[in-house]
Amino acid sequence: MPILHYHDHQLHYEEYGQGQRLLLTLHGIGGKGRLFAKVSRPMWADYTVLSMDLPYHGETQWQATEYNPRQLADLHRQLADLHDAASFDLMVHSMGGRLQMG
């Protein structure tokens, strides 16, 4: 159960695959990052998938009453930095897509 520490928060994420490319995922409302475990499996040879539990979901512990697009971008960058990735692809579902557009 990997945890990314971000200020006073603890972002839970799961890691799948062993590919050279990095894929970050954002789930929908009421979901969890593990939603993408089965869906992303066919891509594991090409991608390393980091699937986070968004704030207020799953095992992520978010200490503030809200979060903003800048914080979400910071989380993406920190996850990418863990893998020395200059770029990454995204897979989103429902609310995760809406958040990413923000």
Side-chain angles (χ1 to χ4, degrees), residues 15-26 33 35-51 88-93:
E15 184 171 332
Y16 311 107
Q18 301 166 340
Q20 293 293 319
R21 297 174 67 184
L22 184 63
L23 178 69
L24 304 181
T25 69
L26 294 174
L35 161 80
F36 293 95
K38 192 178 274 189
V39 175
S40 67
R41 183 168 296 192
M43 303 185 314
W44 290 359
D46 297 319
Y47 282 94
T48 296
V49 180
L50 302 182
S51 194
F88 54 86
D89 294 311
L90 287 170
M91 180 185 286
V92 299
H93 175 255

Side-chain angles (χ1 to χ4, degrees), residues 3-4 8 23 36 41 45-46 61 75 77 91:
I3 299 289
L4 175 71
D8 294 333
L23 178 69
F36 293 95
R41 183 168 296 192
D46 297 319
Q61 296 178 16
L75 293 169
R77 176 56 25 219
M91 180 185 286

Side-chain angles (χ1 to χ4, degrees), residues 62-102:
W62 200 259
Q63 304 305 320
T65 58
E66 58 186 38
Y67 64 103
N68 61 51
R70 179 77 243 157
Q71 290 169 312
L72 190 57
D74 287 346
L75 293 169
H76 282 130
R77 176 56 25 219
Q78 287 187 23
L79 287 171
D81 288 348
L82 290 175
H83 289 271
D84 296 321
S87 64
F88 54 86
D89 294 311
L90 287 170
M91 180 185 286
V92 299
H93 175 255
S94 189
M95 178 189 74
R98 176 74 173 148
L99 290 172
Q100 191 57 41
M101 291 184 339

